[in-house]
Amino acid sequence: MMTSAVRRTTVSAAVVAVCLSVLSGCKDAPGGAGAPAPAASAASATPVVGAFEPEQALAEAEKTPYAASMKAISEAAGQELSTMTGRSNLGTLFTGRAEIRSSGMWIESVTTTDANYIRNRTKEGSGWAKAPRSPDNDANYAGYAKLLLATGPSAKKGMETRNGVPTYHLAGHLNLDQVASVDPRTHRSMKSKGVTGFDIDQWIDAQGRTVRFEQRMDMRGTQAANKVDFSEFGPVETFAAPER
């Protein structure tokens, strides 16, 4: 019993660490061989008005950077481990703010054009710590969508309506090495934890913006998942350094 509890704690910490390492997207993390099938989506059973092709939508996304709010949930063994909320710029140099909460942890992060600031709110009176910006601190969701399309026609699941918005559903399995070109931080973090690949479900709108992103993976024998929702799309915003 003690060994089992220790193992669950270790895996939980590892999943949260993955989330922390990819504040640019969190993407939360996840999917791999042996991962459970994705839950049924809120897809429309009737033809979706405003249908589009994902390749064309992604080409449009490259032309117009945008800001979006996000909510990411990390899970392991069917239990929620952490929640990250925030707002960031996507499709351009990543900047933004985020807040991660889990049992016994509350972290805030602000990423500007030249630095990253982190504050541990768990510790009373904790101030902001400044660190150099990582050269690969990006959130390339369009890159993930292109990788899925490159796996072949099976990745194209078709049009679905999510929260009243016409979206195109993409899905497939990616080996970890395939991810290195579009998300080097996630590649390094997951590789260090023994992850070899993960399953992805991704929904994009007609502007090529990611509306929903799910990853599922096997992490040392435990099924883990990261699920991210994006909303409140708008023009690129400025994120300034916090007052220290």
Side-chain angles (χ1 to χ4, degrees):
M1 183 69 72
M2 179 65 73
T3 300
S4 177
V6 170
R7 185 172 180 276
R8 286 197 301 270
T9 300
T10 300
V11 172
S12 298
V15 174
V16 173
V18 169
C19 189
L20 283 168
S21 73
V22 290
L23 281 172
S24 58
C26 215
K27 306 137 245 6
D28 284 4
S41 65
S44 171
T46 58
V48 177
V49 176
F52 58 89
E53 289 300 319
E55 295 88 350
Q56 181 179 357
L58 290 170
E60 289 301 315
E62 293 180 341
K63 301 175 184 178
T64 310
Y66 60 96
S69 297
M70 58 86 73
K71 180 179 181 180
I73 297 175
S74 293
E75 302 174 346
Q79 296 185 347
E80 183 175 316
L81 300 180
S82 67
T83 299
M84 180 167 71
T85 57
R87 188 165 179 82
S88 59
N89 290 323
L90 301 170
T92 183
L93 180 70
F94 173 80
T95 54
R97 62 178 183 273
E99 181 175 306
I100 298 179
R101 290 176 181 261
S102 67
S103 178
M105 183 184 72
W106 179 11
I107 300 292
E108 287 184 291
S109 173
V110 176
T111 301
T112 66
T113 57
D114 60 359
N116 189 61
Y117 300 84
I118 293 180
R119 175 168 61 170
N120 185 353
R121 296 295 298 274
T122 310
K123 298 180 179 179
E124 186 175 353
S126 176
W128 290 96
K130 180 180 179 181
R133 179 190 171 91
S134 172
D136 56 11
N137 187 10
D138 284 312
N140 190 359
Y141 290 100
Y144 272 107
K146 290 180 179 179
L147 286 179
L148 288 173
L149 287 170
T151 65
S154 63
K156 301 175 73 171
K157 305 304 181 183
M159 295 295 301
E160 298 179 7
T161 297
R162 296 194 67 88
N163 299 322
V165 177
T167 65
Y168 202 101
H169 182 188
L170 301 171
H173 180 82
L174 296 178
N175 294 324
L176 192 58
D177 287 344
Q178 291 176 276
V179 176
S181 63
V182 301
D183 197 348
R185 294 187 73 191
T186 294
H187 174 264
R188 290 197 307 271
S189 179
M190 289 190 176
K191 187 173 184 178
S192 70
K193 295 168 178 61
V195 177
T196 59
F198 45 78
D199 295 328
I200 291 179
D201 278 82
Q202 184 171 2
W203 291 260
I204 62 174
D205 66 12
Q207 287 73 50
R209 303 172 302 199
T210 296
V211 175
R212 171 86 171 180
F213 188 83
E214 298 180 3
Q215 296 171 305
R216 295 171 304 282
M217 65 182 174
D218 182 285
M219 181 177 285
R220 295 168 181 163
T222 296
Q223 301 303 316
N226 285 310
K227 303 173 182 179
V228 193
D229 286 299
F230 296 90
S231 61
E232 300 178 313
F233 299 112
V236 169
E237 301 173 10
T238 298
F239 294 92
E243 296 183 5
R244 303 178 68 186

